[in-house]
């Protein structure tokens, strides 16, 4: 995270609307933007939400009318055609697929939030149509949309070409990648199974998502064969420790095949050093997968894509647009640098009733055989609809605004008595303690930390019962319970950041 331009005082200027308030009291004016108090961070105005609620509501209203007329009413009319056939290339021209440069805001509990009107309308459409995306003949539009979105995401990773597929969740993307890396190492496994294979070992950060252990268990690799590499104080994988573990694994007679780096860890929002990890993978001939489920959306920002420097050297990437870009749960892509049909070779079952090779159209558009699923939702359509509506620059603005709001909150935490950061954040994960008045003069010994551990759960209970906001907390690697605030929704403003801290203080000052 780059510091705000100028001094913290200048960047976080104009807090005059908060003067004269009794600490903890919530003034009604705090609930709406105050035009007299403009707050600018990294060139982003943080007052008020950026979404036009009236325009969004109008869009959804029009979409519902269209769904009723074109989907619901026509669906049961036998006088309508079963389909309006168009060959793929002609349909692409008709659809104009290319993306161009054109919830409650106080839900902060998880790595998703808020309401995107365009994604919502897209979900209405797909729920009404109830499609399954496996062959062009049954889902021509949705397959072309997925192709267009994947191509654009591959471009943002920095690959000249690639492959990919949308699937249900970042956890599944990580499992896909793990299995794909194993298949690349030993193609015979698809037919012969695990029998006769050496003991395969994979390496991942100690801060990785728990799905890595689940995937290893599900695929028969075994959780004992997942080597967790130590991280530094900021939660980043230490490359030297990775190389040590690889050499140790080889010395013990096991077979390394995969390294999983993380771009945007769940708790701290840390980004592993991809260039250094890629160097190690190249030296040892290992597949490099990057779990960018959370942090991948920073690629949309010219200012913040540096967080993922080196990602173009990965063999596969998991990226969830339903997180920072608010495409609507679930919307998750696995992207693969390989263009030799490795995904299809690994997962294809060649079902003869679906994937006939003698169809009258180009069967390369029947992409469902790359999936472990049969029935598959058109999740890419939600992201495509939002991207088409906002443009690339609009998505970039979402990322920049979220990180500017995060910077604002960090500076406010530093200024307020009773609030303490765990560390300077790298992304939109703001981790901090609230220290109630009764503990502020106590020495930071065992008794202090024991008492502080009880504070966040108690405040969480109070805020949930009051219904004022929702904020997550957890312990982490020896640190007692702290709050983890995540900024995503463009509906969030700096007024909401102020409210968050005021409300925590209001709910916890008597502890």
């Amino acid at each position: 995270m780059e510091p705000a331009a100028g001094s913290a005082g200048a960047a976080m200027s104009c807090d005059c609307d908060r003067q004269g308030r009794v600490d903890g009291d919530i003034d009604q004016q705090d609930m709406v933007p105050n035009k007299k108090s403009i707050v600018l961070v990294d060139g982003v105005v943080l007052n008020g939400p950026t979404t036009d609620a009236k325009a969004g509501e109008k869009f959804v209203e029009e979409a519902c009318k269209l769904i009723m007329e074109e989907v619901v009413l026509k669906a049961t009319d036998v006088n309508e055609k079963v389909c309006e056939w168009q060959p793929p290339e002609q349909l692409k021209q008709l659809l104009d697929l290319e993306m161009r440069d054109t919830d409650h805001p106080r839900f902060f509990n998880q790595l998703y939030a808020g309401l995107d009107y365009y994604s919502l309308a897209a979900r209405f459409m797909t729920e009404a149509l109830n499609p399954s995306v496996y062959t062009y003949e049954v889902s021509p539009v949705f397959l072309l949309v997925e192709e267009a979105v994947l191509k654009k995401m591959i471009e943002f990773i920095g690959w000249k070409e690639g492959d990919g597929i949308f699937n249900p969740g970042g956890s599944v993307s990580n499992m896909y990648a793990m299995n794909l890396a194993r298949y690349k190492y030993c193609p015979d496994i698809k037919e012969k199974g695990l029998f006769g294979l050496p003991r395969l070992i994979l390496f991942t950060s100690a801060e990785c998502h728990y799905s890595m252990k689940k995937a290893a268990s599900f695929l028969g690799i075994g959780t004992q064969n997942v080597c967790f590499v130590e991280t530094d104080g900021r939660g980043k994988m230490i490359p030297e420790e990775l190389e040590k573990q690889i050499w140790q694994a080889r010395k013990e007679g096991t077979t390394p095949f995969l390294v999983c780096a993380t771009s945007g860890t769940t708790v701290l929002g840390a980004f592993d050093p991809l260039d250094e990890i890629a160097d190690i993978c190249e030296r040892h001939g290992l597949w490099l997968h990057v779990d960018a489920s959370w942090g991948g959306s920073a690629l949309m920002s010219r200012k913040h894509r540096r967080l993922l420097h080196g990602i173009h050297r990965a063999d596969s990437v998991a990226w969830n647009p339903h997180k920072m870009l608010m495409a609507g749960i679930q919307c998750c892509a696995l992207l693969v640098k390989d263009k030799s049909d490795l995904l299809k070779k690994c997962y294809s079952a060649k079902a003869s009733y679906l994937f006939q090779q003698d169809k009258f159209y180009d069967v390369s558009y029947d992409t469902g055989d790359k999936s472990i699923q049969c029935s598959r939702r058109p999740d890419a359509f939600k992201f495509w609809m939002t991207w088409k509506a906002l443009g690339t620059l609009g998505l970039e603005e979402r990322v920049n605004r979220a990180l500017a709001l995060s910077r604002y909150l960090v500076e406010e935490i530093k200024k307020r008595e009773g609030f303490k950061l765990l560390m300077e954040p790298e992304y939109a994960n703001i981790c901090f303690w609230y220290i109630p008045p009764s503990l502020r003069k106590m020495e930071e010994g065992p008794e202090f930390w024991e008492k502080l551990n009880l504070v966040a759960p108690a405040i969480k209970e109070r805020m949930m019962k009051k219904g004022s906001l929702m904020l997550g907390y957890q312990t982490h690697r020896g640190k007692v319970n702290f709050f983890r605030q995540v900024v995503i929704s463009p509906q969030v403003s700096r007024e909401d950041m102020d409210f968050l801290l005021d409300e925590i203080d209001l709910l916890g000052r008597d502890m």
Side-chain angles (χ1 to χ4, degrees):
M1 176 71 68
E2 294 183 0
S7 67
M12 309 302 167
S13 60
C14 303
D15 283 324
C16 53
D17 61 309
R18 291 175 51 216
Q19 293 176 3
R21 176 199 303 162
V22 177
D23 282 351
D25 290 346
I26 307 304
D27 194 295
Q28 186 63 32
Q29 284 186 319
D30 287 345
M31 310 295 281
V32 296
N34 187 337
K35 293 181 180 178
K36 294 181 181 178
S37 177
I38 300 300
V39 174
L40 192 71
V41 175
D42 290 344
V44 181
V45 176
L46 302 185
N47 296 63
T50 58
T51 52
D52 185 337
K54 292 297 181 185
E57 290 163 8
K58 182 67 174 175
F59 180 83
V60 173
E61 183 182 339
E62 293 298 321
C64 288
K65 289 179 183 177
L66 186 66
I67 293 167
M68 180 60 69
E69 293 167 6
E70 297 295 323
V71 180
V72 178
L73 296 180
K74 288 186 177 181
T76 56
D77 189 345
V78 295
N79 296 312
E80 295 289 336
K81 289 184 177 181
V82 173
C83 69
E84 292 280 354
W85 174 260
Q86 296 286 352
E89 294 308 316
Q90 189 170 339
L91 188 55
K92 286 180 184 179
Q93 296 301 317
L94 291 171
L95 291 173
D96 185 21
L97 292 162
E98 179 68 17
M99 286 78 71
R100 300 183 179 85
D101 292 333
T102 58
D103 294 357
H104 193 285
R106 289 173 180 166
F107 175 92
F108 304 118
N109 214 63
Q110 258 73 46
L111 303 184
Y112 65 90
L115 171 65
D116 177 78
Y117 297 104
Y118 308 107
S119 172
L120 178 64
R123 281 183 277 175
F124 287 166
M125 293 178 196
T126 55
E127 287 302 310
L129 288 166
N130 195 35
S132 187
V133 184
Y134 36 71
T135 62
Y136 180 82
E137 63 190 277
V138 298
S139 288
V141 172
F142 295 126
L143 275 169
L144 294 183
V145 162
E146 182 173 54
E147 178 189 63
V149 172
L150 289 169
K151 182 179 178 181
K152 204 71 176 177
M153 294 175 78
I154 284 167
E155 179 184 315
F156 273 89
I157 288 173
W159 297 334
K160 292 181 179 179
E161 58 181 4
D163 198 1
I165 195 162
F166 276 78
N167 51 71
S171 294
V172 175
S173 293
N174 289 335
M175 185 184 73
Y176 263 87
M178 191 180 294
N179 193 50
L180 196 63
R182 183 173 65 175
Y183 174 80
K184 176 74 172 179
Y185 176 79
C186 182
D188 286 349
I189 191 172
K190 182 174 179 179
E191 295 180 355
K192 296 181 179 179
L194 299 174
F195 179 77
L197 277 184
R199 182 183 170 190
L200 297 177
I201 298 288
L202 65 98
F203 305 86
T204 188
S205 161
E207 298 278 336
C208 74
H209 191 259
Y210 67 85
S211 59
M212 297 306 295
K213 288 179 71 172
K214 285 198 170 190
S217 172
F218 185 84
L219 294 171
I221 292 170
T223 57
Q224 289 186 355
N225 296 317
V226 180
C227 297
F228 295 101
V229 181
E230 191 52 65
T231 58
D232 63 18
R234 297 186 60 82
K236 299 169 178 287
M237 185 192 292
I238 303 171
E240 295 79 10
E241 292 298 319
L242 170 63
E243 187 132 45
K244 282 182 188 176
Q245 288 206 25
I246 293 171
W247 282 117
Q248 183 62 31
R250 293 195 188 282
K251 185 178 178 181
E252 293 173 358
T254 60
T255 305
F257 76 105
L258 167 69
V259 173
C260 175
T262 308
S263 288
T265 58
T266 305
V267 177
L268 301 180
F271 288 73
D272 289 339
L274 300 182
D275 251 340
E276 296 171 69
I277 293 171
D279 287 342
I280 294 170
C281 289
E282 286 180 6
R283 282 199 294 272
H284 291 273
L286 305 180
W287 183 286
L288 173 58
H289 172 64
V290 177
D291 179 6
S293 297
W294 172 218
S297 296
L299 290 169
M300 304 295 297
S301 167
R302 286 164 291 182
K303 182 178 181 63
H304 298 292
R305 64 176 291 116
R306 59 181 171 71
L307 291 168
L308 298 104
H309 181 73
I311 196 169
H312 65 285
R313 300 176 65 186
D315 295 291
S316 58
V317 174
W319 177 359
N320 293 2
H322 76 223
K323 295 185 185 292
M324 179 70 79
L325 298 176
M326 297 177 60
I329 291 176
Q330 55 203 19
C331 187
C332 312
L334 172 71
L335 304 147
V336 183
K337 184 186 288 185
D338 179 274
K339 196 56 176 142
S340 67
D341 263 345
L342 189 67
L343 265 174
K344 189 172 182 179
K345 290 172 186 174
C346 181
Y347 292 111
S348 172
K350 300 179 180 178
S352 60
Y353 66 94
L354 275 179
F355 305 112
Q356 302 94 336
Q357 299 303 295
D358 54 356
K359 292 178 180 177
F360 67 95
Y361 61 85
D362 182 355
V363 295
S364 68
Y365 287 97
D366 291 353
T367 58
D369 216 14
K370 294 190 295 188
S371 171
I372 59 173
Q373 302 166 255
C374 180
S375 299
R376 192 165 63 92
R377 304 296 294 165
D379 293 326
F381 184 60
K382 294 175 286 190
F383 189 29
W384 179 84
M385 182 78 91
T386 299
W387 202 332
K388 287 287 282 187
L390 298 179
T392 302
L393 294 178
L395 294 179
E396 179 182 34
E397 182 184 342
R398 282 192 170 178
V399 176
N400 289 345
R401 180 178 173 81
L403 294 181
L405 279 164
S406 300
R407 188 74 250 157
Y408 174 82
L409 181 62
V410 166
E411 297 303 326
E412 285 297 302
I413 287 171
K414 290 177 181 177
K415 289 190 288 188
R416 294 191 182 213
E417 185 181 8
F419 289 86
K420 182 179 180 179
L421 282 172
L422 265 73
M423 63 182 64
E424 286 284 339
E426 193 172 21
Y427 199 42
N429 306 46
I430 318 301
C431 300
F432 64 94
W433 287 288
Y434 172 72
I435 304 170
S438 64
L439 299 181
R440 288 175 194 171
K441 294 182 179 180
M442 184 181 293
E443 183 181 348
E444 292 187 5
E447 184 182 358
F448 171 84
W449 293 112
E450 184 179 347
K451 289 179 179 296
L452 186 61
N453 188 52
L454 304 175
V455 171
I459 292 177
K460 173 69 178 277
E461 179 183 0
R462 291 181 179 185
M463 70 173 65
M464 291 285 288
K465 290 179 176 178
K466 183 178 178 181
S468 53
L469 65 119
M470 193 181 293
L471 183 65
Y473 72 87
Q474 69 276 312
T475 59
H476 183 70
R477 306 196 77 182
K479 293 181 172 64
V480 302
N481 278 317
F482 56 86
F483 289 111
R484 183 197 61 166
Q485 155 74 351
V486 180
V487 182
I488 300 178
S489 172
Q491 296 165 312
V492 173
S493 66
R494 72 93 187 156
E495 291 88 351
D496 295 309
M497 300 297 95
D498 292 339
F499 176 87
L500 172 91
L501 300 181
D502 290 341
E503 184 72 352
I504 288 173
D505 186 49
L506 179 70
L507 296 172
R509 65 172 58 166
D510 65 340
M511 291 181 179

